[in-house]
């Protein structure tokens, strides 16, 4: 199976730049080495979906970076999973550590989002991962299992993202990611795919993608330029040829 390449553009890529970046990725000659999922900001979703449709591109999908836990109602500011699905979104990232940390989203709330998103027809990319402190205390497996407890039968892709490795340039050693992926695989069986996220770039992408129990990567800052995406697709195409 082709590796998953999930591009999380966070709040980095403006609406103006999103369609151009999507077009560059769609046109990349090595893109076919991966199954690509682009996660633009909510405001850029329509343009990115439009760019994919216009190019009639295959094996490239659109994810929302988050969603509400209901489809409609008195929830100011929330975005309905059902409306996202209607807008051409196929996946949604739920439980990203930036949502957990900055918006106090806990496992109970995240489980509600997972249920609603699935009912709306979205595939769920669920993020788990420990803080540096939890790692130092030897609690990684416990933390990850706890984050998975309520949702493990309902998610399609699990992204293991050690919090301290996100946006810091400090990626974990691939063999350490592999250990956690193996723990996750024991929890979920073959119901879900498993990706690594946290400071993935053109230099380390191959070692993550080829690790055991690893189906792909979730890439943040390195996915926000067409040049570094091209460099990463090139690396993936080398694996595809081997
Ligand atoms: P990063 O972000 O690649 O910039 O570390 C990954 C993520 O947050 O998903």
């Amino acid at each position: 199976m082709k590796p998953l390449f999930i591009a999380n553009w966070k709040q980095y890529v403006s609406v103006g730049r999103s369609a151009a970046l999507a077009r560059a990725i769609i046109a990349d000659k090595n893109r076919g080495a991966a199954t690509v999922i682009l996660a633009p900001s909510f405001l850029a979703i329509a343009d990115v979906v439009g760019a994919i449709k216009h190019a009639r591109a295959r094996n490239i999908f659109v994810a929302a970076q988050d969603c509400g836990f209901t489809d409609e109602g008195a929830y100011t500011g929330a975005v309905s999973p059902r409306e996202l699905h209607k807008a051409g979104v196929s996946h949604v990232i739920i439980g990203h550590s930036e949502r957990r940390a900055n918006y106090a989203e806990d496992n109970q709330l995240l489980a509600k989002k997972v249920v609603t998103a699935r009912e709306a027809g979205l595939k769920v990319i669920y993020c788990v991962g420990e803080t540096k402190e939890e790692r130092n205390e030897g609690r990684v497996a416990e933390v990850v299992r706890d984050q998975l407890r309520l949702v493990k039968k309902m998610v399609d892709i699990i992204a293991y993202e050690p919090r301290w490795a996100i946006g810091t340039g400090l990626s974990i050693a691939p063999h350490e990611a592999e250990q956690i992926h193996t723990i996750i695989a024991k929890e979920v069986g073959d119901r879900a795919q498993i990706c690594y996220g946290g400071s993935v770039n053109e230099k380390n992408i191959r070692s993550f993608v080829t690790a055991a129990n690893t189906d792909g990567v979730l890439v943040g800052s390195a996915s926000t330029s067409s040049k570094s995406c091209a460099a990463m697709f090139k690396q993936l195409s080398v694996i595809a040829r081997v």
Side-chain angles (χ1 to χ4, degrees), residues 2 5 13 58 62 68 72 75 104 143-144 162 198 204 231 238:
K2 289 182 184 191
F5 179 95
V13 186
R58 301 171 70 131
V62 177
E72 58 180 60
Y75 298 97
V143 167
V144 167
N204 61 22
V238 174

Side-chain angles (χ1 to χ4, degrees), residues 8 10 96 98 161 165-167 198-200 218-221:
N8 178 12
K10 309 191 184 187
H96 191 281
E98 287 150 16
E161 304 201 293
I166 296 177
S199 298
V200 173
L218 197 163
V219 190
S221 43

Side-chain angles (χ1 to χ4, degrees), residues 26-236:
I26 291 164
D28 191 289
K29 63 180 190 318
N30 293 314
R31 193 235 329 148
T35 294
V36 175
I37 304 175
L38 303 178
S41 73
F42 286 124
L43 288 171
I45 283 174
D47 288 355
V48 172
V49 168
I52 293 171
K53 280 199 181 138
H54 184 258
R56 294 204 171 89
R58 301 171 70 131
N59 219 22
I60 179 161
F61 304 93
V62 177
Q65 296 177 13
D66 178 41
C67 66
F69 64 87
T70 58
D71 275 321
E72 58 180 60
Y75 298 97
T76 302
V79 180
S80 157
R82 190 172 62 207
E83 296 301 307
L84 286 167
H85 189 254
K86 281 196 224 159
V89 167
S90 54
H91 293 71
V92 58
I93 300 173
I94 294 180
H96 191 281
S97 69
E98 287 150 16
R99 301 292 316 176
R100 292 178 190 264
N102 301 325
Y103 302 89
E105 296 193 354
D106 61 19
N107 291 333
Q108 276 72 24
L109 172 71
L110 297 172
K112 282 200 216 171
K113 291 189 178 196
V114 170
V115 170
T116 315
R118 276 177 62 94
E119 281 171 5
L122 298 173
K123 292 198 163 143
V124 174
I125 303 165
Y126 190 78
C127 301
V128 297
E130 80 287 359
T131 61
K132 192 81 203 173
E133 210 175 30
E134 288 161 344
R135 173 160 284 265
N136 291 342
E137 290 163 1
R139 297 177 48 224
V140 184
E142 176 202 329
V143 167
V144 167
R145 281 197 195 105
D146 190 49
Q147 289 167 336
L148 282 174
R149 195 166 42 83
L150 298 174
V151 299
K152 61 185 172 193
K153 296 205 174 115
M154 302 187 282
V155 296
D156 301 279
I157 299 168
I158 294 163
Y160 168 58
E161 304 201 293
R163 286 193 193 190
W164 49 273
I166 296 177
T168 55
L170 299 170
S171 60
I172 198 171
H175 74 272
E176 286 179 303
E178 211 171 87
Q179 285 167 3
I180 309 305
H181 294 182
T182 304
I183 291 168
I184 295 172
K186 282 201 186 112
E187 292 291 305
V188 297
D190 46 17
R191 269 191 301 269
Q193 291 180 288
I194 302 171
C195 290
Y196 169 78
S199 298
V200 173
N201 56 40
E202 65 195 83
K203 294 201 178 75
N204 61 22
I205 190 166
R206 264 165 76 180
S207 48
F208 284 116
V209 161
T210 52
N213 283 319
T214 308
D215 299 295
V217 284
L218 197 163
V219 190
S221 43
S223 73
T224 62
S225 99
S226 56
K227 207 166 148 230
S228 80
C229 284
M232 289 186 281
F233 291 140
K234 195 156 176 223
Q235 293 296 320
L236 296 179

